[in-house]
Amino acid sequence: MAHVTQDRKSLRSPWRWQSRHITDECAGHTATRNAAQLYAEYKEPLYAAPPLLQRMVDAGRLGRKTGSGFYPYA
């Protein structure tokens, strides 16, 4: 739980946002769609969507707009 508390404190400054915070804000399905387009274009495994993110999108955990993503939202 201390990890989540520290992450919430870091959200006070937009320069400290990490990729999982940004993914929760813009919705995980957007990130996976963009990764799929990059992978299709360049065929580089580096551009493929991370498996964890894909599983979260498949489970409906899209971020702030659905109430859960990397973090729970009330």
Side-chain angles (χ1 to χ4, degrees):
M1 198 59 166
H3 181 264
V4 172
T5 303
Q6 181 59 38
D7 280 343
R8 287 188 180 152
K9 287 180 183 177
S10 71
L11 289 176
R12 293 180 188 155
S13 171
W15 294 280
R16 292 188 177 176
W17 279 28
Q18 297 178 0
S19 60
R20 62 183 179 267
H21 298 124
I22 295 169
T23 302
D24 269 0
E25 288 296 323
C26 72
H29 67 287
T30 303
T32 56
R33 183 186 66 222
N34 293 345
Q37 290 172 343
L38 284 170
Y39 181 73
E41 178 71 23
Y42 297 107
K43 305 294 190 258
E44 289 287 333
L46 173 68
Y47 296 126
L52 172 63
L53 184 58
Q54 187 62 57
R55 287 193 306 269
M56 289 173 63
V57 169
D58 293 343
R61 296 179 60 189
L62 304 178
R64 186 177 293 278
K65 76 181 206 176
T66 61
S68 68
F70 285 100
Y71 299 99
Y73 298 95

